[in-house]
Amino acid sequence: MVEAVLIDLFSLPANLENIHGLLCNMLQTIEKCCSIPAPFVYVICRQRQGSERRSEHESLLPALGDFQSLKKRLKVVYALTTTAALYTIKQQLDEKDISIIKIILPTLRKDLMKVYIDHLFTAVYQFEFEDLQVASDCKNLQIAEPRSEEQMPPTQDVELIQSEIRMYLESLPNLKGELTILRSSLIPDDIFLHGFTTRTGGISYIPTLSSCNLFSSSKRRDPQVVVKENLRRLANAAGFNPEAFHRVKVDHANAVYIMGKTEPDSYDGIVTNQKGVTIAAPGADCIPVLFADPVKKACGAAHSGWKGTLLGVSMATVNSMVSEYGCNVKDILVVLGPSVGPCCYKLPHESAKEFHRIDPKCVRLFDSASPYIDIRRATRILLESGGILPENIQDDSVTDQDQNVTFCTACHPDKFYSHFRDGTNFGTQIGFISIKD
Ligand SMILES: *[C@@H]1O[C@H](CO)[C@@H](O)[C@H](O)[C@H]1NC(C)=O
């Protein structure tokens, strides 16, 4: 069932006399058809540059009072660009957890509107489009010759829309404070640039994604353009090139992508010896693990959840550095980023058994139905048995006089995202590393 209706009057001429009647008819229809419960209705109007807000469509407003059931649910949004209008409305839809939306718009606007929608929304939202019914005596609405229905907008239109969106997002303020990057003093910063992100300093506004979400999924409400803007801000703050950035394609397994070779469809580890290329692994409880060999100047990143930990993704990444770049395992430094701690993380008994097999110390309350699991300790044990020196591993058993990095994601809602804590619409932080030029 349609939960919200957007009426797009953005492209209509400001001096349109009939607009008042047009809107009244439309609202009458909406009120009649969707009486219980009345949907939320948003009317998009263009705000002229330099003009007083509302000046053109001022005359609309008195009429809106006539629609009692819609009154509180009707909002006229004036904006300089379609992006600004849609982004404002998206925030209100998200606040109400609305995902089924009907857009009533001039036929001519449909193709362009679809481009905006594709960029600013995700597969969580369902849109239906309806032509704005224009009275036949209203000649003013014949803005141009209509294009055929399914025609794609020309590439230059798409590019204009993309740059309008980019500029708009770049202009938004940081939310929840400054962007903060955690760094380990184990990794020498004359050779490597690295860090772990926290959740502040981005533009994502949905509570569980706010604000520096660095992963977009069709199941969540942050579109790629927002994640890209967050990444741009991170890259600016950290000093890397966001265009030369590669993130693992999470599969909860142990495949490793060696940059420059064939890219697997999915992989949880990535290694490189190319300078200036930033590689990254996400985590929202799972451990982002960073690897650095200052001798051979190679680095790696891995995403290690409980499955990946059991499958040995960290040692798989180490082994790739050894076989591809001739690294000596004793030179490789490993840092475990923010991740769910043994204080909070539980698994069913069956899975706990496998951690118990690695070392009984990885499990607490083993006899209970869902024992507490220490995926970090399991990671350390597997790395040490693979030849990594204990002192070359930083995790929560190591305290650093400069900065601790292996915080518990579930315990610190102000600093980190946690899937376990936040549910389906969770945000993601990352660990990133590159070799300096
Ligand atoms: C790191 O954690 C330890 C133990 O909690 C603490 O003593 C130390 O002060 C922390 N370091 C910093 C820089 O906060």
Side-chain angles (χ1 to χ4, degrees):
M1 198 182 63
V2 170
E3 300 165 293
V5 176
L6 264 63
I7 303 170
D8 173 23
L9 305 183
F10 193 84
S11 63
L12 298 194
N15 57 357
L16 191 65
E17 283 165 26
N18 270 26
I19 200 160
H20 178 264
L22 180 76
L23 195 59
C24 286
N25 282 342
M26 219 176 321
L27 293 175
Q28 247 158 20
T29 316
I30 292 169
E31 203 172 41
K32 238 182 276 158
C33 302
C34 327
S35 46
I36 308 167
F40 292 91
V41 177
Y42 299 92
V43 181
I44 303 178
C45 294
R46 185 198 294 265
Q47 179 192 346
R48 301 283 156 188
Q49 200 112 32
S51 80
E52 271 299 300
R53 239 171 152 255
R54 296 189 175 180
S55 57
E56 294 88 19
H57 297 294
E58 187 98 354
S59 57
L60 297 181
L61 296 174
L64 305 181
D66 299 342
F67 298 95
Q68 285 307 321
S69 73
L70 283 177
K71 209 165 157 189
K72 284 207 185 99
R73 294 167 158 255
L74 183 114
K75 191 155 180 130
V76 183
V77 176
Y78 291 89
L80 290 172
T81 61
T82 303
T83 302
L86 287 174
Y87 201 74
T88 304
I89 292 168
K90 181 176 182 291
Q91 297 188 38
Q92 306 197 8
L93 299 174
D94 289 337
E95 201 177 291
K96 300 178 179 86
D97 208 27
I98 285 174
S99 45
I100 305 173
I101 302 131
K102 173 185 277 192
I103 305 188
I104 303 173
L105 75 180
T107 316
L108 278 178
R109 281 267 288 174
K110 200 190 293 182
D111 290 342
L112 294 179
M113 184 57 82
K114 282 183 175 163
V115 177
Y116 281 105
I117 297 295
D118 277 352
H119 283 80
L120 291 169
F121 291 83
T122 67
V124 167
Y125 307 82
Q126 292 170 44
F127 287 92
E128 44 186 271
F129 295 87
E130 190 177 299
D131 286 339
L132 188 66
Q133 290 305 318
V134 177
S136 55
D137 61 344
C138 179
K139 298 211 172 56
N140 285 337
L141 283 181
Q142 297 305 317
I143 303 160
E145 285 301 303
R147 289 201 212 109
S148 79
E149 182 118 342
E150 290 307 323
Q151 197 178 325
M152 288 296 291
T155 330
Q156 79 221 45
D157 287 357
V158 174
E159 279 167 12
L160 280 175
I161 292 173
Q162 287 168 338
S163 93
E164 179 189 301
I165 291 174
R166 203 164 47 237
M167 279 162 55
Y168 177 76
L169 297 179
E170 284 183 16
S171 76
L172 296 175
N174 283 352
L175 300 176
K176 299 217 165 182
E178 290 302 300
L179 202 139
T180 307
I181 300 166
L182 305 177
R183 293 186 180 88
S184 163
S185 50
L186 189 63
I187 298 179
D189 63 9
D190 54 335
I191 303 172
F192 300 99
L193 180 151
H194 86 281
F196 297 95
T197 63
T198 67
R199 63 184 297 179
T200 59
I203 61 164
S204 305
Y205 56 80
I206 293 166
T208 55
L209 300 175
S210 187
S211 68
C212 198
N213 175 34
L214 289 166
F215 187 76
S216 85
S217 148
S218 56
K219 298 191 193 100
R220 298 175 218 162
R221 286 175 176 258
D222 248 2
Q224 273 177 26
V225 284
V226 164
V227 169
K228 202 167 170 205
E229 173 57 18
N230 288 339
L231 180 67
R232 191 191 65 84
R233 291 179 191 214
L234 168 65
N236 265 356
F240 67 79
N241 174 9
E243 304 300 327
F245 176 85
H246 292 267
R247 184 176 6 216
V248 302
K249 297 189 173 159
V250 170
D251 187 32
H252 298 276
N254 61 4
V256 178
Y257 169 38
I258 294 140
M259 278 201 64
K261 296 204 167 172
T262 314
E263 184 178 4
D265 288 338
S266 60
Y267 46 92
D268 291 83
I270 181 168
V271 295
T272 192
N273 64 351
Q274 295 174 32
K275 288 179 178 170
V277 174
T278 301
I279 55 178
D285 292 335
C286 295
I287 322 171
V289 190
L290 298 181
F291 305 82
D293 176 355
V295 178
K296 288 284 192 251
K297 294 194 171 52
C299 61
H303 160 265
S304 187
W306 73 268
K307 287 184 191 157
T309 301
L310 289 175
L311 290 168
V313 67
S314 285
M315 267 317 292
T317 307
V318 167
N319 290 336
S320 297
M321 291 172 70
V322 170
S323 62
E324 292 303 314
Y325 311 126
C327 298
N328 183 332
V329 76
K330 299 208 162 16
D331 296 328
I332 297 177
L333 311 167
V334 187
V335 180
L336 281 61
S339 45
V340 68
C343 45
C344 297
Y345 194 51
K346 294 178 180 184
L347 279 178
H349 193 79
E350 273 312 297
S351 315
K353 268 193 207 161
E354 300 186 55
F355 282 91
H356 197 266
R357 217 172 289 136
I358 293 174
D359 190 317
K361 289 204 184 93
C362 296
V363 185
R364 186 159 55 88
L365 304 181
F366 184 51
D367 293 327
S368 68
S370 43
Y372 287 88
I373 305 297
D374 191 341
I375 51 173
R376 301 165 181 166
R377 189 192 284 257
T379 300
R380 173 182 276 276
I381 289 167
L382 294 173
L383 285 168
E384 287 180 11
S385 47
I388 300 287
L389 299 176
E391 65 271 26
N392 284 350
I393 302 172
Q394 178 166 0
D395 58 11
D396 56 330
S397 70
V398 177
T399 53
D400 192 304
Q401 68 267 41
D402 290 337
Q403 188 168 61
N404 296 312
V405 292
T406 323
F407 290 101
C408 174
T409 43
C411 289
H412 296 92
D414 55 325
K415 289 196 187 69
F416 304 108
Y417 299 108
S418 167
H419 178 21
F420 165 84
R421 185 190 64 221
D422 299 335
T424 328
N425 211 33
F426 64 98
T428 305
Q429 50 255 340
I430 62 167
F432 61 91
I433 186 163
S434 63
I435 307 159
K436 287 186 175 170
D437 280 323

